Amino acid sequence: MDRAALRLILLGVFLISATSNPVKKKQNVNIYSFYINSTITSRYATTVITSRVANTLNESQEIQFEVKIPKNAFISKFRMTIEGKTYDGVVKEKEEAQQQYNQAVSRGQSAGLVKSVGRTLEDFKTSVTVAAFSKVTFELTYEELLKRRLGKYDPLLINAQPMQPVADFKMDVHIQEKPGISFLEVKGDLSTGDLANAIKTTRADKDAWVTFYPTRDQQTKCKSCGENGLNGDLLITYDVERQNHKGEVMVSNGYFVHYFAPSDLPRIPKNVVFIIDQSSSMYDRKIEQTRLALLRILSDLGEDDHFGLITFDSEVNFWKRELLKATEENLKNAKSFVKEIRDRGATDINAAVLAGVDMIKQHPREGTASILILLTDGDPTTGETNKEKIMANVKEATGTKFPLYCLGFGYDVNFDFLTKMSLENSGVARRIYEDSDADLQLQGFYEEVAVPLLTDIQLKYPGGTNLTKTSFSLYFNGSEIVVSGQITDNSVESFTTEVIALSKGNNVMYQDTIMTTDPSDVPPENEDFMQRLWAYLTVKQLLERQVLLKGQEKEDEKKEALKLSLKYQFVTPLTSMVVTKPQEGDVEVADKPKEGEAPPRPPAPGFSQQHHSLGLHDAAVDHLSLGGMDSPTVHSNRFLLPVVGQSKPLCFDVPVPHKLRLLQDSASEFSMNGESLTGQNGFHQIALHYKTNHHLTINTTSIRYHDGQNQVEFLWGQEPTQHNTEGVSLILRSNEIDVTMGKIHIVILLHKEKRDMCLCPAVQTRPKDVNLTGILGKSPDISYDEIQGTQTPTLKLKDQEVKTSRVMVKDYRLASAPLVGCWLVPFQAVTQRELSDLTVTQL
């Protein structure tokens, strides 16, 4: 899979929640048909997923429909058909849908249909009660414009996991491209073994078809398949012919689109400055992966490139104070500098970026392209910390003459800040995910901007109106500039495009005229695609500009984006899709998740969603704690809440990764925060702060304590150690550290599971005169009642009826880690707060 690819992804998954014996639920539901139909017309992909399911049980049961779609896609249609009656989702203004959303939440339902999952996906999930021996058809449509990177379009990726072999499984992809298709590639897990024989590819001059029709038997025979059927990916990647260096222009029904991607141009030498955060939060794997990526990137610099290296914490550090040519000797010395980068100190983003700007401005070179690349994982914590002031300083310094690309390391970086600062300076922000391939993500981003071909690009369209973005600071080899708009006079016989830019300091111009009376290459069934492409691109760009605008201009563009979203029934950050289900008028609301969010949602009644998260629980200890269940994949941390007078505690899930406010007492200036990572359980780092000068940082390797003047460091597994200072006591034993700060007493345990390690905190002393808040500060005086006679387990909690399920979790406060049962409930049902209220950006 291409590491930089923005993927179009379809995932069909069914999870069945039966009202009878859950052990037999898979045998009582028959997915007898599953179709995926995707049409890509001039890079604009419209995908329809249709699934038909039969309830073969002699009583009604709830059937869930779950698919994963790309984050960049807009859902534009959803419907359910039951016993001949159709229930359509309706896209409304978000505020208008809020009342229905609140009503659903008040009934204890999971009102959000869509949530972010992983790097590039969103999960769409709903359910409906189906009568005995009846059928339901689900249909979901979404749309997306494919983006070109590194010489090809982001692959269409199909991840199929229907949880059972399907008698009639079909996937059809039709690609239509006016200039012709230069190459087409199909790969992935679903192209291995017997499944390879189920794939058929057909190509014509301007069309390509890919079909995937596996038999029931074939669906169990691939590298990752089994008795539950398909489980894997199919990737379809392509590019188009580019014989016309002026670009490709298409006109249809009063709209046009212009794709501009010349390649017959000389490479422009770069001036690139890498600005690298080496503050203490970049410790361990982050800094190691950063070093590794930089070493690879330096090796890829062209011999006519000039470069600079800046690292920063509370101070700004230079490899050299001027840009140097990428000679063999200079690269060798720079790599030696990179190998010595270590994490330490605070985060002075303002001074570091301004130093990078100054380095470029002090060494101007004609006929070159200048680029700043900032990598950071946190907020500014020293120097100038006012974000608005930092952005103003950077914008004034660059004069928007060269772009700033901001790479945010991790989920909890202040991505809105980095996005706005990038856009204000003609750049983009990209999230680098904390994972084993973070170094490849960094390197992949650099490869996208490694070869500039044009600068200061302006595109003009006489006779065009309502244009999307027409001004671009840089065009890179392997990418593509896309502009769409409306034609003011539909009776004109020709339409002209004009591109003006700089190539190595020289002016270049591309001009082209096409006849609008020529027969359209767009088939009648797709004739509205260009209008929808224009609307999609316009809404995307209007929403992106929101972070830059203020006052009336911001409000006007927001209204325009909302108007288009409603007209074309796009689910965007400004709209919601309201789905009214047949049973008792139940309502669900689909919102577009904010980038980087992973809002919690409990599993549906009747089945257990698997988690792998270490935790603590002891009925004798008065605290909220972590619990866990063994599973191969880490999805969330499961928190246990003991309940006085009840044999079973409550539990709720918080998705990983996250940085949580675990404990806080404002009166004594005490706080404890914990950070978890994607794919790992428990916490990998915990930080405690007391008054203004006491700071304790604990990770799975070491413990660092700073009292304002001196720092001490301990290692897990060393001889038992005790350290005391004013109001603070630390006692380190083999796999636990006993911490007392003021009146608050906490034990933090290091747990080892095979090759993985994590930290689990437990509050030992909760003074009555201390008001502790945070995830672990929840008081155990909460109570619940079990409601009898319901088909699914239901609790009365805080005067609300909440559906639940009984799950088993490990109690990691005890060395034996015994299994305990708990009632799994929604996060908000216990806390009465949003997860964002209990998260922090910095430990």
Side-chain angles (χ1 to χ4, degrees):
M1 185 184 302
D2 299 306
R3 53 180 170 264
L6 177 61
R7 303 167 182 90
L8 177 58
I9 301 181
L10 324 172
L11 168 59
V13 178
F14 274 88
L15 300 174
I16 316 306
S17 177
T19 56
S20 60
N21 187 349
V23 176
K24 297 181 180 179
K25 62 191 176 187
K26 289 182 182 177
Q27 287 71 40
N28 296 329
V29 169
N30 176 29
I31 307 169
Y32 62 92
S33 171
F34 194 86
Y35 290 176
I36 299 171
N37 187 292
S38 186
T39 301
I40 305 174
T41 306
S42 193
R43 291 69 146 180
Y44 194 67
T46 301
T47 300
V48 182
I49 304 175
T50 306
S51 187
R52 296 175 175 86
V53 190
N55 174 16
T56 60
L57 198 65
N58 62 358
E59 59 182 292
S60 64
Q61 64 173 325
E62 189 176 28
I63 296 177
Q64 294 182 355
F65 171 67
E66 182 175 7
V67 294
K68 288 183 171 60
I69 67 173
K71 287 182 178 178
N72 267 0
F74 289 155
I75 293 172
S76 55
K77 182 180 179 181
F78 174 71
R79 63 172 39 172
M80 296 183 291
T81 303
I82 305 171
E83 297 179 351
K85 187 171 182 180
T86 297
Y87 303 85
D88 283 307
V90 180
V91 175
K92 299 182 178 181
E93 183 178 0
K94 191 177 289 290
E95 286 73 16
E96 186 181 346
Q98 192 64 40
Q99 182 178 359
Q100 286 146 302
Y101 177 90
N102 292 338
Q103 289 172 349
V105 171
S106 68
R107 291 195 298 268
Q109 297 172 346
S110 172
L113 289 172
V114 186
K115 69 172 183 178
S116 294
V117 287
R119 301 179 186 179
T120 58
L121 300 177
E122 290 170 356
D123 182 87
F124 178 94
K125 181 178 180 180
T126 189
S127 63
V128 65
T129 299
V130 179
F133 305 117
S134 294
K135 299 176 180 179
V136 58
T137 297
F138 298 98
E139 181 182 311
L140 179 74
T141 303
Y142 59 88
E143 305 172 34
E144 183 184 24
L145 180 64
L146 299 182
K147 190 171 183 178
R148 189 171 186 254
R149 310 171 198 264
L150 301 174
K152 53 190 173 183
Y153 291 101
D154 295 332
L156 182 75
L157 185 154
I158 299 169
N159 181 317
Q161 189 185 354
M163 300 304 290
Q164 62 177 248
V166 179
D168 185 18
F169 184 102
K170 292 181 179 179
M171 184 271 289
D172 291 273
V173 177
H174 182 196
I175 305 170
Q176 307 165 89
E177 294 290 353
K178 179 181 177 181
I181 297 169
S182 61
F183 87 93
L184 178 69
E185 182 180 56
V186 180
K187 58 183 181 180
D189 292 340
L190 297 184
S191 64
T192 63
D194 282 0
L195 283 181
N197 299 321
I199 299 170
K200 182 179 179 181
T201 301
T202 307
R203 290 181 58 176
D205 181 29
K206 300 178 181 180
D207 296 83
W209 294 265
V210 178
T211 61
F212 178 53
Y213 295 176
T215 65
R216 288 177 65 98
D217 185 56
Q218 286 174 325
Q219 290 172 44
T220 64
K221 296 177 180 179
C222 75
K223 187 167 68 174
S224 55
C225 301
E227 63 179 13
N228 289 333
L230 296 173
N231 181 12
D233 301 333
L234 196 68
L235 295 90
I236 302 169
T237 308
Y238 77 98
D239 196 22
V240 302
E241 298 286 355
R242 301 186 186 275
Q243 297 177 356
N244 185 359
H245 61 275
K246 299 174 184 178
E248 173 197 347
V249 182
M250 294 185 69
V251 175
S252 178
N253 288 347
Y255 290 83
F256 78 90
V257 61
H258 182 198
Y259 297 100
F260 181 68
S263 57
D264 56 340
L265 292 166
R267 175 185 180 277
I268 299 177
K270 297 191 303 295
N271 309 310
V272 58
V273 178
F274 302 96
I275 307 167
I276 306 300
D277 184 349
Q278 64 171 23
S279 61
S280 56
S281 59
M282 287 284 291
Y283 82 103
D284 198 23
R285 189 165 68 166
K286 285 185 188 176
I287 205 72
E288 290 176 9
Q289 291 174 316
T290 300
R291 286 195 296 262
L292 182 59
L294 278 173
L295 292 173
R296 292 172 178 161
I297 288 170
L298 290 173
S299 296
D300 289 339
L301 289 173
E303 60 182 15
D304 54 353
D305 288 335
H306 284 61
F307 72 103
L309 287 170
I310 294 174
T311 62
F312 69 96
D313 42 71
S314 52
E315 299 177 349
V316 177
N317 310 286
F318 299 86
W319 167 57
K320 303 291 183 182
R321 289 190 172 271
E322 66 277 349
L323 293 173
L324 291 185
K325 193 172 183 180
T327 64
E328 185 176 346
E329 184 65 22
N330 286 338
L331 290 174
K332 179 181 177 182
N333 293 334
K335 290 178 181 179
S336 296
F337 174 82
V338 168
K339 291 175 183 178
E340 297 303 317
I341 295 176
R342 296 290 183 270
D343 58 288
R344 65 187 188 194
T347 311
D348 192 345
I349 292 176
N350 182 71
V353 177
L354 293 182
V357 174
D358 188 61
M359 183 180 287
I360 287 179
K361 292 171 72 173
Q362 292 300 319
H363 302 87
R365 292 195 301 143
E366 290 294 325
T368 62
S370 296
I371 299 172
L372 288 171
I373 298 178
L374 167 69
L375 172 66
T376 182
D377 75 333
D379 278 344
T381 59
T382 190
E384 179 60 69
T385 58
N386 184 295
K387 299 181 186 66
E388 292 295 330
K389 181 64 175 173
I390 293 171
M391 289 186 288
N393 290 344
V394 173
K395 186 176 181 180
E396 180 181 4
T398 66
T400 65
K401 293 181 179 178
F402 42 85
L404 168 65
Y405 297 100
C406 294
L407 306 180
F409 211 139
Y411 261 112
D412 298 307
V413 68
N414 192 324
F415 200 68
D416 288 344
F417 164 57
L418 296 183
T419 298
K420 185 173 183 180
M421 188 161 62
S422 294
L423 292 174
E424 284 187 338
N425 294 280
S426 306
V428 296
R430 179 78 60 84
R431 189 183 300 278
I432 303 299
Y433 295 88
E434 292 184 52
D435 217 331
S436 58
D437 68 340
D439 55 320
L440 298 179
Q441 296 175 56
L442 290 166
Q443 186 182 358
F445 173 81
Y446 172 75
E447 289 175 356
E448 290 182 46
V449 300
V451 184
L453 297 181
L454 292 173
T455 63
D456 301 323
I457 306 105
Q458 304 292 327
L459 298 99
K460 299 181 180 181
Y461 303 93
T465 187
N466 293 326
L467 304 174
T468 59
K469 183 179 178 181
T470 58
S471 178
F472 301 85
S473 61
L474 284 167
Y475 162 70
F476 298 101
N477 188 42
S479 65
E480 184 173 65
I481 290 174
V482 183
V483 180
S484 185
Q486 296 176 254
I487 298 175
T488 53
D489 184 358
N490 288 332
S491 65
V492 298
E493 295 184 353
S494 63
F495 184 71
T496 299
T497 65
E498 186 178 285
V499 182
I500 301 171
L502 291 176
S503 172
K504 295 191 73 171
N506 300 315
N507 289 315
V508 294
M509 185 174 74
Y510 301 86
Q511 192 173 57
D512 196 16
T513 299
I514 67 163
M515 303 305 295
T516 60
T517 55
D518 288 347
S520 173
D521 290 286
V522 180
E525 64 269 20
N526 296 332
E527 63 182 8
D528 70 336
F529 97 92
M530 198 172 299
Q531 182 177 348
R532 299 189 70 83
L533 183 159
W534 166 80
Y536 172 94
L537 193 56
T538 300
V539 171
K540 282 282 185 182
Q541 293 179 0
L542 287 172
L543 293 173
E544 185 179 76
R545 279 171 47 82
Q546 282 290 295
V547 300
L548 301 177
L549 302 178
K550 295 180 181 179
Q552 190 60 45
E553 185 180 11
K554 180 174 183 175
E555 193 60 31
D556 290 344
E557 292 205 0
K558 182 179 179 181
K559 288 180 180 178
E560 181 64 21
L562 174 61
K563 183 176 78 172
L564 290 173
S565 299
L566 293 172
K567 179 178 179 179
Y568 294 94
Q569 289 287 285
F570 290 150
V571 178
T572 72
L574 303 178
T575 58
S576 300
M577 177 177 280
V578 178
V579 179
T580 302
K581 299 193 289 186
Q583 59 269 27
E584 301 176 3
D586 279 355
V587 171
E588 290 185 310
V589 178
D591 290 317
K592 185 77 173 173
K594 185 178 178 181
E595 200 286 330
E597 282 186 344
R601 181 180 65 209
F607 74 96
S608 177
Q609 196 174 18
Q610 297 245 322
H611 295 263
H612 186 190
S613 46
L614 292 176
L616 317 170
H617 171 64
D618 183 350
V621 179
D622 180 11
H623 67 91
L624 184 70
S625 56
L626 277 165
M629 173 183 285
D630 284 334
S631 160
T633 304
V634 180
H635 295 293
S636 66
N637 280 329
R638 182 161 287 170
F639 287 77
L640 285 168
L641 176 61
V643 179
V644 175
Q646 296 283 2
S647 60
K648 293 188 188 69
L650 298 174
C651 53
F652 59 87
D653 293 330
V654 177
V656 295
H658 51 229
K659 287 185 183 146
L660 294 177
R661 181 181 295 110
L662 299 176
L663 274 181
Q664 184 172 14
D665 175 37
S666 301
S668 65
E669 297 179 86
F670 168 85
S671 66
M672 178 172 71
N673 303 318
E675 181 180 20
S676 67
L677 295 180
T678 301
Q680 295 185 14
N681 44 343
F683 295 98
H684 85 103
Q685 184 173 213
I686 293 175
L688 298 94
H689 309 280
Y690 179 55
K691 298 192 180 297
T692 58
N693 55 332
H694 298 279
H695 306 283
L696 178 66
T697 303
I698 305 170
N699 59 45
T700 55
T701 305
S702 63
I703 299 108
R704 296 179 187 176
Y705 171 67
H706 195 282
D707 64 4
Q709 294 182 336
N710 303 306
Q711 179 170 299
V712 295
E713 183 171 358
F714 312 114
L715 298 176
W716 288 106
Q718 71 176 51
E719 291 294 320
T721 305
Q722 184 167 352
H723 182 85
N724 295 298
T725 184
E726 53 172 314
V728 175
S729 170
L730 307 177
I731 303 173
L732 176 65
R733 302 182 184 90
S734 176
N735 286 318
E736 68 178 53
I737 182 168
D738 195 299
V739 181
T740 302
M741 290 184 167
K743 297 180 180 180
I744 300 168
H745 179 201
I746 298 162
V747 171
I748 297 172
L749 299 94
L750 176 70
H751 284 285
K752 300 177 181 179
E753 284 270 311
K754 298 179 181 177
R755 293 178 298 174
D756 297 327
M757 293 188 294
C758 74
L759 303 170
C760 295
V763 183
Q764 298 296 306
T765 303
R766 181 190 297 272
K768 292 183 178 180
D769 59 345
V770 174
N771 181 27
L772 289 176
T773 59
I775 287 277
L776 301 185
K778 192 69 183 173
S779 173
D781 59 1
I782 190 171
S783 62
Y784 68 80
D785 294 309
E786 296 182 31
I787 299 177
Q788 304 298 323
T790 56
Q791 290 184 330
T792 56
T794 305
L795 302 180
K796 187 172 185 180
L797 180 65
K798 294 182 181 292
D799 296 323
Q800 294 183 16
E801 292 187 6
V802 179
K803 293 180 180 179
T804 184
S805 58
R806 185 177 183 272
V807 296
M808 301 299 292
V809 296
K810 279 190 176 181
D811 177 353
Y812 276 98
R813 187 179 186 280
L814 303 177
S816 59
L819 284 171
V820 297
C822 63
W823 290 117
L824 183 60
V825 296
F827 171 87
Q828 289 90 347
V830 174
T831 64
Q832 301 293 298
R833 304 179 71 175
E834 293 296 325
L835 179 60
S836 57
D837 296 335
L838 295 169
T839 59
V840 295
T841 57
Q842 291 282 88
L843 290 186

